[in-house]
Amino acid sequence: MFGYYLDLALRSLKRHRVLTGLMVLSLALGIGACITTTTVLRLLSGDPLPQKSDRLFYAQVDPNAKEGYIAGQTEPPATMTYVDAMFLLHAHRAKRQAAVALTSGKIAPQRANERPFYSDGVQTTADFFGLFDAPFEYGSGWTAADDEGGSRVIVIAGFLNQKLFGGANSVGKTIRMNDHDFRIVGVLKPWSPQPRFYALDLGGHDYGGDGDAMFLPLKTAMDLKMGPQDIECYNAVTDVDNLAAAPCMWLGMWVELPDQAAVADYRTFLANYAKQQVAQGRFSRDETALLDLMGWLRDQQVVPDDVRLQAGLAYGFLLICVLNTVGLLLAKCLRRSREIGVRRALGATRGAIFGQFMVEAGIVGLVGGLLGLGFAELGLFGIRHQPAEYASLAHLDLSMFLFTFVVALVASLIAGLLPAWRACAVAPAPQLKAS
Amino acid sequence: MELRPILSTLRRHKTTAWLLILEIALTCAIVCNAVFLIGQRLQRMDLPSGIAEHELVQIQLGHVGKNVDAKAQTEADLAALRQIAGVRQVAVANQLPFSFGSDSNGSLMLDPRQQQKTAQVAEFMGGPGLLPTLGAQLVAGRDFQPGEYVDFDAAVQALHDGDARGLPQEIILTRGLAKRLWPGQDALGKTVYFGNNLPFRVIGVVASLARPKQLEQGVQYSTVLPISMTAADGSSYILRTSPQERGAVLKAAVAKLKQLDPNRVVLVKRTYDAARREYFADDRAMAGILVGVIVALLTVTALGIVGLASFWVGQRRRTIGVRRALGATRGDILRYFQTENFLLASFGIALGMVLAYGLNLFLMLHYELPRLPGIYLPVGALVLWGIGQLAVLGPALRASNVPPVVATRSV
């Protein structure tokens, strides 16, 4: 039966080429727009560390003055002071913990005829690599003792190792950064979580690129006065060079908590710390926060308003395209009232007529989906040439490829419902009488 | 033209008529809001910066640590840059309006006892000649005098020692900021405070100087401080030249700086126009996408109208034939379909305006957009009427060509 409907549908679509073309084109445009924007939306709201994002948490406390504080409404600032970060770090209340700030440094070339260049880096503490599952090609991270002693050690990214040492095992070798010698203790495999979640609100870029080029102990960076990318001070600063004591926030604090109980414990620990600081007069707000990684991304609004607006527009557009298809399908089916009348008189049931028209709508949908895929590729090509940081990452993957056809079929079948229902409601007798 | 027969025909095709009306209404709603969004973006991209945009180029060098001779080096660089053919003025600046890179901001207060800041302002610093090089226009008071400048390092040291005397005492504001601080009063001679304890006396007002970033804090809330910076403080060299010579000057300047010290790293080299373009690139892209959406929407709607009108014409061939046989002219038939489309479009537009308003309310709630000005509604209406008439013209002409003899034929 299905084969017969298919044959009928194809014949009918062929008979009205222009109308069919219009339907397919309009549906394809709508689908193309939707798939393009949905791909970008999915890319931006993706999980940068799927294997452990539910175990990573971002801790926040609030050292700001009482002024302007509304309990329960004012969110704590994104970064914390050195004093607070060090307390949390040394408390060891989580499985792993790391304080993070971004930096950049001038790296001297290994060969004589090359020029020095600047690279982005991270100043952090020993747990960073285990915390974020950063994979090592050679060597490993540094130790807590290196953190305490401010050792001149460094972990470099694979691409930097490629650039400086041609990809050979460089552990134990020395590189010169900001006119100081550092001993390489580890080389990472390519590692560039998207978005670069640990850099959000530290002054880093969100998307794209190969990731940070170098990682060095926090204390070492402070000893060498490599300022962090972003500093926010909540009090009059007397000595901005002495970041360890300045009333300034510049560190992001990440902790790994294996289960719900640990999370609850840590929350209490954090709240108690804030209360204790208030009692000592160092804080005037006891607000704290402990968001998991995806919650933190939402809080930081990694999906720009523009992208959400574009997605909304695209779905509005698809709605109009579906309406358009409904109208055209309806027009077609009403024109065929006589054909329907004949088929009904010859014994076709209402269900058969309904099925026939739905198959026809489905074919329009599938062809529209195929063409829409082309439009989506075109749209993504356009997105890749946009100035946004995530632009280069916009590609159609298998799930979006399948999703395209789901959208196309659903849209066309919804569009086909009304015309098919109208078609099967045609009474045979008057149609036959008219001629 | 008699409307009754048209209305009674439409009543017999309720579903199709409603579909068309709904489609036009949704298109109208989205197009009105999209045009409004484009207007917003264009307005943002068009914000005045207050400087001689087409005459400036910027070069920023990378420095590591503190050179003892940074000041001397900067002086030597400036002297060398002045020698380049086509360069009119040269200065050091820590930031430029509407550009990415590091920027300085401070909390400004009117009273040292205040707990909350009055405004969050951008702090432009650099050294002598900054304002004339940028081309910022002084409208009241005067520029800083050479004796009023304080070196950046000395200012940091003074802050460190808590010694306000080591800091500059003067400040220049934009007219926009002065109006915000003292509405209707003369700003000259007044005192503002950074933080709670650092007073500055207003000695000059510039017509306009936009801030680099954080535009939501007040685009024109900028200040200029008499603090001399060096290239080692992360500042840039700003060169003023003529619009035609910018490319050549930029190239020559970079070559000159590298010649003075081959080991330096050039972090930024660009014309100011390029910096500004980069800053507003997202807005330009969004405006482009919106234009694309509008065109696609109108096309799809027009195609829908063409399709339905063609169908109606085909379906009514006999009726048209009968009317022609009874004396209706071709013009009558043409006008019949045109009026029918006009009526449908009008219904759609009326509904669309309500939808447009609702959509705008939704956007205001979620995207901090202003209210849709009323002017967009009639413009949207005109566009849709136009599109409708254009789309129906083909099918209507075909209808008017139906010969009267059709009436006599059995189908």
Side-chain angles (χ1 to χ4, degrees):
Chain A
M1 215 54 195
F2 184 77
Y4 178 56
Y5 295 162
L6 209 63
D7 183 45
L8 278 182
L10 286 177
R11 273 165 198 261
S12 132
L13 290 174
K14 255 190 240 157
R15 205 172 318 135
H16 304 278
R17 286 223 174 99
V18 179
L19 218 53
T20 310
L22 282 181
M23 283 189 286
V24 168
L25 189 68
S26 95
L27 211 54
L29 276 173
I31 288 166
C34 278
I35 296 303
T36 306
T37 54
T38 310
T39 305
V40 174
L41 205 60
R42 238 171 59 105
L43 158 75
L44 291 181
S45 46
D47 189 338
L49 225 56
Q51 73 277 22
K52 73 187 298 188
S53 61
D54 54 336
R55 281 175 285 151
L56 289 177
F57 291 81
Y58 191 74
Q60 291 164 270
V61 293
D62 194 347
N64 282 308
K66 194 85 191 167
E67 194 80 17
Y69 174 64
I70 306 164
Q73 277 189 36
T74 311
E75 286 187 9
T79 48
M80 58 173 78
T81 62
Y82 184 74
V83 174
D84 295 324
M86 283 307 116
F87 174 80
L88 296 181
L89 201 66
H90 291 138
H92 288 294
R93 287 301 188 91
K95 190 176 167 206
R96 293 194 181 99
Q97 45 253 307
V100 184
L102 298 186
T103 194
S104 72
K106 186 171 83 168
I107 295 177
Q110 293 290 313
R111 284 176 281 269
N113 53 351
E114 286 171 9
R115 302 181 56 82
F117 55 92
Y118 275 79
S119 278
D120 289 334
V122 178
Q123 27 182 301
T124 182
T125 51
D127 277 353
F128 180 89
F129 306 98
L131 188 64
F132 296 145
D133 283 354
F136 279 92
E137 181 84 55
Y138 307 114
S140 63
W142 59 82
T143 62
D146 289 322
D147 274 336
E148 296 306 317
S151 309
R152 302 278 168 91
V153 291
I154 196 165
V155 168
I156 61 175
F159 66 89
L160 186 60
N161 191 48
Q162 188 68 37
K163 183 166 180 171
L164 292 174
F165 302 101
N169 185 350
S170 58
V171 171
K173 292 200 172 133
T174 301
I175 63 168
R176 204 161 168 76
M177 195 256 297
N178 281 8
D179 301 329
H180 297 281
D181 285 333
F182 285 79
R183 183 168 52 86
I184 297 173
V185 292
V187 177
L188 291 184
K189 287 185 180 150
W191 184 65
S192 167
Q194 305 289 341
R196 200 143 51 116
F197 60 93
Y198 60 81
L200 288 178
D201 220 282
L202 297 176
H205 298 287
D206 307 347
Y207 290 93
D210 300 325
D212 288 298
M214 53 186 185
F215 304 81
L216 69 160
L218 181 60
K219 183 152 191 305
T220 313
M222 286 174 73
D223 289 347
L224 299 176
K225 303 237 176 289
M226 294 173 63
Q229 213 64 274
D230 201 60
I231 307 177
E232 194 168 330
C233 299
Y234 56 91
N235 227 329
V237 191
T238 48
D239 187 359
V240 81
D241 269 353
N242 183 11
L243 273 176
C248 297
M249 302 171 287
W250 54 284
L251 284 163
M253 188 74 204
W254 287 93
V255 295
E256 179 180 344
L257 302 167
D259 50 43
Q260 285 304 315
V263 176
D265 280 354
Y266 205 86
R267 253 183 239 288
T268 319
F269 164 65
L270 210 56
N272 285 341
Y273 174 66
K275 285 205 185 79
Q276 177 206 341
Q277 293 300 307
V278 171
Q280 287 177 8
R282 217 186 122 238
F283 282 9
S284 20
R285 310 173 176 190
D286 60 3
E287 200 77 34
T288 61
L290 189 68
L291 292 169
D292 65 4
L293 193 144
M294 291 314 283
W296 169 243
L297 294 187
R298 271 191 297 279
D299 188 67
Q300 290 295 298
Q301 297 189 320
V302 283
V303 182
D305 274 358
D306 278 5
V307 171
R308 286 191 293 144
L309 207 60
Q310 285 163 14
L313 266 177
Y315 280 91
F317 182 47
L318 180 63
L319 180 65
I320 291 176
C321 292
V322 168
L323 268 182
N324 199 8
T325 310
V326 177
L328 297 177
L329 275 175
L330 195 62
K332 260 189 70 179
C333 104
L334 290 180
R335 266 186 106 159
R336 287 157 60 193
S337 295
R338 286 195 48 211
E339 175 200 324
I340 299 165
V342 173
R343 282 205 62 209
R344 292 270 284 125
L346 291 177
T349 60
R350 278 168 198 259
I353 302 289
F354 189 82
Q356 177 195 340
F357 277 83
M358 286 309 267
V359 168
E360 199 174 317
I363 291 176
V364 170
L366 281 182
V367 179
L370 213 58
L371 192 60
L373 214 55
F375 282 128
E377 281 292 359
L378 211 65
L380 289 172
F381 178 80
I383 298 275
R384 284 197 288 277
H385 287 78
Q386 278 197 10
E389 281 172 343
Y390 55 79
S392 60
L393 303 168
H395 286 280
L396 210 60
D397 58 9
L398 182 69
S399 56
M400 284 313 289
F401 181 83
L402 297 176
F403 182 64
T404 309
F405 288 100
V406 174
V407 171
L409 262 184
V410 170
S412 65
L413 291 182
I414 288 178
L417 271 180
L418 179 70
W421 179 75
R422 290 289 295 261
C424 70
V426 165
Q431 298 302 332
L432 295 177
K433 239 187 264 170
S435 54
Chain B
M1 185 94 208
E2 183 81 64
L3 287 184
R4 247 201 345 241
I6 298 180
L7 285 173
S8 72
T9 316
L10 283 181
R11 224 171 285 138
R12 291 189 49 202
H13 300 279
K14 257 191 218 130
T15 322
T16 10
W18 269 112
L19 281 172
L20 202 57
I21 290 174
L22 211 58
E23 190 180 338
I24 291 173
L26 279 173
T27 306
C28 178
I30 294 184
V31 167
C32 280
N33 278 287
V35 171
F36 173 56
L37 282 172
I38 293 175
Q40 291 278 312
R41 297 298 165 130
L42 293 183
Q43 211 175 23
R44 210 173 111 90
M45 285 159 59
D46 220 31
L47 285 170
S49 63
I51 63 174
E53 296 188 0
H54 309 309
E55 300 173 12
L56 299 176
V57 300
Q58 176 191 14
I59 299 171
Q60 190 187 354
L61 302 174
H63 280 260
V64 172
K66 204 72 190 177
N67 287 338
V68 203
D69 55 352
K71 193 171 162 64
Q73 171 89 67
T74 300
E75 290 297 332
D77 285 348
L78 288 174
L81 292 174
R82 272 189 202 102
Q83 302 298 317
I84 295 171
V87 172
R88 289 190 206 148
Q89 273 159 316
V90 178
V92 179
N94 65 330
Q95 58 192 14
L96 288 172
F98 307 131
S99 53
F100 291 122
S102 69
D103 59 332
S104 290
N105 295 282
S107 302
L108 199 72
M109 304 189 185
L110 287 172
D111 187 314
R113 285 169 308 239
Q114 240 170 276
Q115 290 264 335
Q116 290 272 56
K117 64 190 172 208
T118 307
Q120 147 86 299
V121 299
E123 300 164 328
F124 283 82
M125 302 179 261
L130 176 61
L131 286 180
T133 303
L134 289 180
Q137 215 186 348
L138 215 55
V139 286
R142 58 172 177 85
D143 196 354
F144 302 116
Q145 282 158 6
E148 291 167 342
Y149 283 94
V150 173
D151 284 346
F152 183 66
D153 289 339
V156 170
Q157 189 62 39
L159 263 179
H160 179 59
D161 300 340
D163 177 12
R165 278 170 308 171
L167 291 169
Q169 314 291 321
E170 297 80 17
I171 193 168
I172 293 176
L173 309 177
T174 59
R175 189 153 53 188
L177 181 58
K179 261 191 195 142
R180 159 76 182 79
L181 297 175
W182 306 283
Q185 294 176 43
D186 187 5
L188 290 183
K190 294 242 173 20
T191 304
V192 292
Y193 298 83
F194 275 110
N196 292 82
N197 48 3
L198 307 173
F200 290 83
R201 192 166 48 85
V202 178
I203 60 152
V205 176
V206 287
S208 154
L209 182 61
R211 66 193 308 153
K213 286 185 261 181
Q214 302 185 31
L215 305 189
E216 69 284 356
Q217 301 274 6
V219 178
Q220 284 289 336
Y221 291 181
S222 302
T223 61
V224 189
L225 295 170
I227 291 179
S228 293
M229 300 193 74
T230 67
D233 303 318
S235 290
S236 303
Y237 292 127
I238 309 298
L239 289 75
R240 185 158 175 194
T241 172
S242 67
Q244 304 80 27
E245 288 170 299
R246 279 178 296 177
V249 162
L250 189 57
K251 210 179 242 173
V254 170
K256 180 76 101 182
L257 289 172
K258 286 213 170 146
Q259 178 198 332
L260 287 175
D261 179 358
N263 271 323
R264 288 196 284 199
V265 182
V266 175
L267 292 181
V268 173
K269 50 172 176 178
R270 58 189 179 190
T271 62
Y272 177 72
D273 280 341
R276 187 181 165 128
R277 239 191 333 273
E278 188 193 339
Y279 185 81
F280 289 112
D282 279 350
D283 295 293
R284 196 172 308 107
M286 185 69 181
I289 287 176
L290 288 170
V291 169
V293 167
I294 292 176
V295 171
L297 263 181
L298 292 178
T299 313
V300 166
T301 307
L303 290 182
I305 294 173
V306 171
L308 274 186
S310 308
F311 161 65
W312 274 335
V313 170
Q315 200 184 35
R316 297 181 203 158
R317 271 177 74 83
R318 258 193 92 164
T319 331
I320 297 167
V322 170
R323 281 201 61 198
R324 292 278 281 126
L326 291 178
T329 61
R330 282 172 188 229
D332 286 337
I333 304 293
L334 186 69
R335 269 193 300 283
Y336 174 89
F337 282 98
Q338 282 172 335
T339 314
E340 185 183 67
N341 181 271
F342 182 82
L343 274 180
L344 287 173
S346 303
F347 285 131
I349 287 162
L351 187 62
M353 285 185 178
V354 180
L355 283 179
Y357 188 73
L359 189 59
N360 177 240
L361 281 184
F362 175 82
L363 291 177
M364 278 167 68
L365 212 63
H366 288 85
Y367 299 98
E368 291 164 20
L369 271 175
R371 185 172 292 278
L372 183 73
I375 179 71
Y376 285 92
L377 298 178
V379 171
L382 279 180
V383 168
L384 279 164
W385 268 317
I387 294 279
Q389 288 301 314
L390 220 63
V392 87
L393 193 63
L397 278 173
R398 231 175 306 133
S400 68
N401 283 333
V402 171
V405 71
V406 169
T408 63
R409 286 185 197 144
S410 68
V411 189

